[in-house]
Amino acid sequence: MRTLAIGDIHGSLTALKALGEFVGYTDEDTIVPLGDYVDRGPDSIGVIDYFIELKKTHKVITLKGNHELMMENARDSEQELYFWMLNGGEATLKSFDVESLNEIDSKYWGFIRSCSRYHETENHILAHAGLEPDVSLKNQSDEFLFWHRIHSTEPHDSGKTLVCGHTPQRNGIPLVLGHAVCIDTFAVGGGWLTCLDVDTGEYWQANQKGQARKGSLQKQEA
């Protein structure tokens, strides 16, 4: 049984589909996308639809990213809407073929609301961005879970390894620290979308050209 974490997607549906075919998800897998399904890339609605359908046949625990948080907040004020639009929201509206967030079907808002803040396994904590080192998971702040950068993230008191996205690795290679792994490998910027088996360190990658490749965190560290 594998726990498979997927890095930041940002509307990169072609890469997401190619990655799924390459990995070959099974009924025994737990698939944990780390958030940022929307914004910047061409097909935010397609990415959400992909996971809505995948949840019908597989165990999928979708986490929330800061871009989903921005999208939700953009419904509440002009200032938040402006901030979201500056950070890729325009591409999302275009993907949904709407001019206003109020025109987006309720099932998509339901998907975003259903996203978890984190996922914990025996040896790992999966979150979008980072963790406060001396704070329990249930009391983690939004600032750390959704916005913190991996380079300033300290080991968590639980002793578990953080698996996160949010900090783009523009070289296309997951960043491995002693206490954390970042698998945002810049899919929306011409890089790769990464799926990591958190227990074995094996990872699979695909890009928007439909190309695929494999790697290993252990080999990278050697």
Side-chain angles (χ1 to χ4, degrees):
M1 184 175 68
R2 303 179 296 183
T3 299
L4 301 173
I6 301 175
D8 302 35
I9 303 164
H10 286 300
S12 302
L13 181 61
T14 298
L16 180 61
K17 287 182 174 180
L19 185 66
E21 292 177 4
F22 189 40
V23 175
Y25 305 135
T26 74
D27 294 340
E28 296 184 348
D29 293 332
T30 299
I31 304 163
V32 190
L34 301 179
D36 281 7
Y37 313 106
V38 301
D39 298 348
R40 296 182 176 153
D43 205 344
S44 295
I45 187 173
V47 169
I48 296 179
D49 281 334
Y50 178 91
F51 284 119
I52 288 174
E53 290 302 310
L54 191 63
K55 284 186 174 187
K56 295 176 180 178
T57 56
H58 293 75
K59 183 179 180 182
V60 183
I61 301 172
T62 48
L63 303 190
K64 184 175 292 186
N66 65 304
H67 282 262
E68 286 75 51
L69 190 64
M70 282 190 285
M71 185 174 172
E72 286 183 307
N73 292 341
R75 305 177 76 186
D76 299 330
S77 74
E78 287 294 324
Q79 182 178 354
E80 293 291 348
L81 177 62
Y82 178 73
F83 181 63
W84 178 60
M85 293 294 282
L86 285 178
N87 286 278
E90 185 175 356
T92 298
L93 290 179
K94 184 177 180 180
S95 172
F96 279 86
D97 193 24
V98 298
E99 296 183 0
S100 166
L101 287 171
N102 294 327
E103 299 175 61
I104 293 177
D105 190 278
S106 60
K107 77 173 183 178
Y108 297 106
W109 294 115
F111 172 87
I112 292 173
R113 285 194 302 270
S114 73
C115 290
S116 302
R117 288 164 56 82
Y118 59 84
H119 178 66
E120 185 178 15
T121 72
E122 183 178 355
N123 298 307
H124 297 84
I125 299 170
L126 286 65
H128 178 66
L131 295 171
E132 291 180 87
D134 54 354
V135 176
S136 66
L137 287 181
K138 67 179 181 178
N139 292 319
Q140 290 284 321
S141 68
D142 285 358
E143 175 63 29
F144 273 76
L145 285 176
F146 301 123
W147 296 97
H148 207 64
R149 296 297 182 182
I150 189 173
H151 300 288
S152 57
T153 295
E154 299 175 6
H156 191 256
D157 282 357
S158 65
K160 297 184 178 184
T161 300
L162 168 67
V163 179
C164 65
H166 185 62
T167 306
Q169 305 304 307
R170 288 174 168 80
N171 63 0
I173 303 297
L175 175 65
V176 182
L177 304 178
H179 60 283
V181 178
C182 177
I183 60 169
D184 176 1
T185 42
F186 209 40
V188 75
W192 297 83
L193 181 61
T194 296
C195 176
L196 171 69
D197 183 327
V198 301
D199 294 311
T200 68
E202 182 179 14
Y203 63 83
W204 303 260
Q205 295 181 312
N207 61 22
Q208 279 291 86
K209 297 179 182 178
Q211 298 168 325
R213 66 184 189 181
K214 293 177 67 173
S216 170
L217 299 185
Q218 285 81 0
K219 291 179 180 178
Q220 181 194 335
E221 290 179 303

